[in-house]
Amino acid sequence: MEEAQRRALRRGRPRLVEALRVTPLWDPLEQRGLFTRPMVEEIQSAGSRGEQARQLVIDLETRGKQAFPVFLSILRDTGQGDLADMLIEECECLPAPLQPIDLRPVELDLHREKRNKSGLDIDKRNHDLVYELKANPCGHCLILNNVNFSRDSELDLSTRYGSDVDCEKLEKRFKALCFDVQTRRDLKAQEMILELLKLARRDHSALDCCVVVILSHGCQTSHIQFPGAVYGTDGKPIPIEKIVNYFNGSNCPSLRGKPKLFFIQACGGEQKDQGVTVDYELPRDEAPGGALESDATPFRGLSGNMDETDAIASLPTPSDILVSYSTFPGFVSWREASSGSWYVEALDAVLEQYAHSEHLLNMLLQVANAVSAKERYKQIPGCFNFLRKRFFFMCK
């Protein structure tokens, strides 16, 4: 959807609230293919008509190039031609939204002379380049742990043995890092979405950050900014991009300017990395003799009840967001029944050793190095980082 159309929809939202009072738009939206029944039900569950209109506009923005004209057609068919005309007029008269931005370089002083409340050394002149955590708990942490998958799904996804080991480790770790931790196990895709929306719609005003952990099977998928998708236990995929979008500054105002961290233990695809020869010896880290399992499923373009290729969720500037992936997009992520996944095992160990002294990006480098040193198949975690500042965890 073009930016002018997005802005017209936002400006027309008060009129859309009135339209929802008198016009049943939900069936036409489903019949014309803009939304599936679960998506319509999700919007209807948003609360008041104002909240429903807000969620409808947000979701319409993700539906691709044809969403705006189809929506105008639906409005006309349901007796809301005046609203359709108003949206067209708004579209035609809106000025170009982009203006030059003055970006000034930041001087860095490497002499650390100040400590924050956690006892960490903070650059005296650049302490504003560190997220400050004052609240206790500092934020919510939601862990979605999918272990058992429906045999009715066409994908026939395997049981994720070892995922409960991962979940238990991360529950203890994030509680020790001063988070209010909630865990949900074996959720279908729509149930996962509802839990994520419930968290995004909470009031985070008194908190300083938010963490989402997803342990599941995953796949490669079309994307704009954040690759990959994770599966519900019913075998239906949810794009990572959509999950992140629930928590951005537009959809979750009480987390604006605050760090939002996502940790994804799932495959990014089905390729198995055999590794390459290097001219130095990597540290040997033999995996236990047990059988290795992956969280992979083949690449599929999203279809049916998901977005088409030209209708992937488009985010506003995703500031203060970091998404940490267990593996490179397109590759499998390894897990063992006895000790859990390589990624979570390394993440937990690094947080235990360094959370009191290192910032998050440095620790994720340590995680990547530890996992890449594993033998047999290879794996390399990575992250998409849109944080504006350094992030230091609080420690009890």
Side-chain angles (χ1 to χ4, degrees):
M1 186 177 292
E2 295 179 0
E3 181 61 27
Q5 295 171 345
R6 292 191 181 97
R7 297 174 71 205
L9 283 170
R10 292 167 193 165
R11 288 195 180 190
R13 197 168 71 194
R15 289 279 301 276
L16 183 57
V17 174
E18 294 303 315
L20 290 176
R21 294 183 192 278
V22 298
T23 306
L25 294 176
W26 308 117
D27 288 341
L29 287 169
E30 182 182 358
Q31 293 163 4
R32 296 291 295 274
L34 277 181
F35 298 105
T36 62
R37 174 50 51 182
M39 297 173 75
V40 167
E41 292 173 352
E42 179 184 328
I43 296 173
Q44 290 177 305
S45 69
S48 66
R49 286 189 180 89
E51 285 299 315
Q52 291 177 20
R54 175 176 173 274
Q55 192 61 45
L56 175 58
V57 168
I58 290 170
D59 287 355
L60 275 173
E61 294 176 6
T62 73
R63 304 310 298 170
K65 299 177 182 178
Q66 297 303 314
F68 190 73
V70 171
F71 184 60
L72 294 179
S73 175
I74 290 173
L75 290 177
R76 296 190 192 283
D77 292 345
T78 54
Q80 295 292 332
D82 290 345
L83 176 54
D85 292 339
M86 186 271 285
L87 292 175
I88 292 174
E89 290 175 8
E90 287 284 353
C91 237
E92 292 174 346
C93 70
L94 282 170
L98 297 179
Q99 298 295 331
I101 299 174
D102 181 20
L103 295 177
R104 300 182 182 180
V106 178
E107 289 187 19
L108 295 179
D109 184 353
L110 300 180
H111 299 288
R112 295 181 173 181
E113 302 177 12
K114 184 175 181 178
R115 288 179 174 266
N116 69 2
K117 292 183 179 180
S118 300
L120 299 168
D121 289 327
I122 302 299
D123 184 328
K124 180 178 180 180
R125 292 172 56 194
N126 290 287
H127 61 277
D128 58 334
L129 292 180
V130 174
Y131 290 106
E132 191 166 7
L133 305 188
K134 298 179 179 178
N136 190 4
C138 61
H140 296 296
C141 171
L142 174 64
I143 303 176
L144 302 182
N145 177 31
N146 286 344
V147 179
N148 302 294
F149 291 78
S150 172
R151 296 302 180 187
D152 296 332
S153 165
E154 62 181 29
L155 297 175
D156 193 25
L157 298 171
S158 62
T159 302
R160 298 185 61 256
Y161 298 109
S163 189
D164 285 331
V165 177
D166 287 345
C167 185
E168 185 177 349
K169 287 178 182 176
L170 294 179
E171 278 182 325
K172 292 179 179 178
R173 184 59 52 209
F174 281 106
K175 285 178 181 177
L177 296 174
C178 302
F179 282 87
D180 173 30
V181 179
Q182 291 184 320
T183 302
R184 299 290 182 266
R185 191 177 191 268
D186 289 345
L187 300 183
K188 297 177 181 178
Q190 187 61 25
E191 293 170 334
M192 293 173 69
I193 288 172
L194 291 177
E195 287 294 334
L196 291 161
L197 286 172
K198 187 188 302 182
L199 176 61
R201 290 170 180 165
R202 296 186 70 165
D203 184 3
H204 301 262
S205 301
L207 305 173
D208 296 318
C209 56
C210 183
V211 168
V212 173
V213 178
I214 299 180
L215 312 171
S216 188
H217 283 296
C219 66
Q220 188 177 2
T221 187
S222 304
H223 69 281
I224 295 175
Q225 290 175 323
F226 297 99
V230 290
Y231 282 103
T233 56
D234 53 356
K236 296 180 180 179
I238 309 170
I240 301 299
E241 199 157 57
K242 182 174 183 178
I243 292 170
V244 173
N245 194 29
Y246 293 144
F247 296 86
N248 67 31
S250 296
N251 298 335
C252 188
S254 62
L255 280 174
R256 285 176 184 165
K258 301 176 182 180
K260 297 160 280 285
L261 312 177
F262 300 82
F263 298 90
I264 312 297
Q265 166 53 45
C267 282
E270 60 177 350
Q271 295 187 64
K272 296 179 180 179
D273 189 355
Q274 304 283 355
V276 295
T277 303
V278 293
D279 56 3
Y280 61 91
E281 185 176 354
L282 287 171
R284 295 183 62 84
D285 188 359
E286 286 283 355
L292 283 177
E293 298 183 359
S294 75
D295 291 325
T297 60
F299 170 80
R300 321 193 304 167
L302 295 181
S303 59
N305 66 338
M306 303 301 289
D307 295 342
E308 296 296 334
T309 304
D310 66 344
I312 302 302
S314 176
L315 300 176
T317 303
S319 61
D320 308 294
I321 286 173
L322 180 140
V323 183
S324 174
Y325 290 89
S326 62
T327 191
F328 192 82
F331 286 83
V332 301
S333 182
W334 294 108
R335 170 177 37 81
E336 300 178 43
S338 59
S339 56
S341 66
W342 291 359
Y343 167 72
V344 171
E345 182 181 35
L347 178 63
D348 178 60
V350 168
L351 288 174
E352 180 180 26
Q353 186 171 358
Y354 296 106
H356 67 284
S357 60
E358 291 285 351
H359 65 83
L360 179 57
L361 288 179
N362 277 359
M363 288 189 285
L364 290 180
L365 287 176
Q366 296 270 11
V367 172
N369 186 55
V371 174
S372 68
K374 291 279 189 179
E375 297 216 344
R376 300 163 79 175
Y377 285 115
K378 308 304 294 183
Q379 180 182 330
I380 180 72
C383 71
F384 280 59
N385 174 35
F386 294 91
L387 297 179
R388 297 176 295 112
K389 305 178 182 182
R390 289 176 290 175
F391 180 89
F392 292 89
F393 285 104
M394 293 178 64
C395 297
K396 290 184 179 179

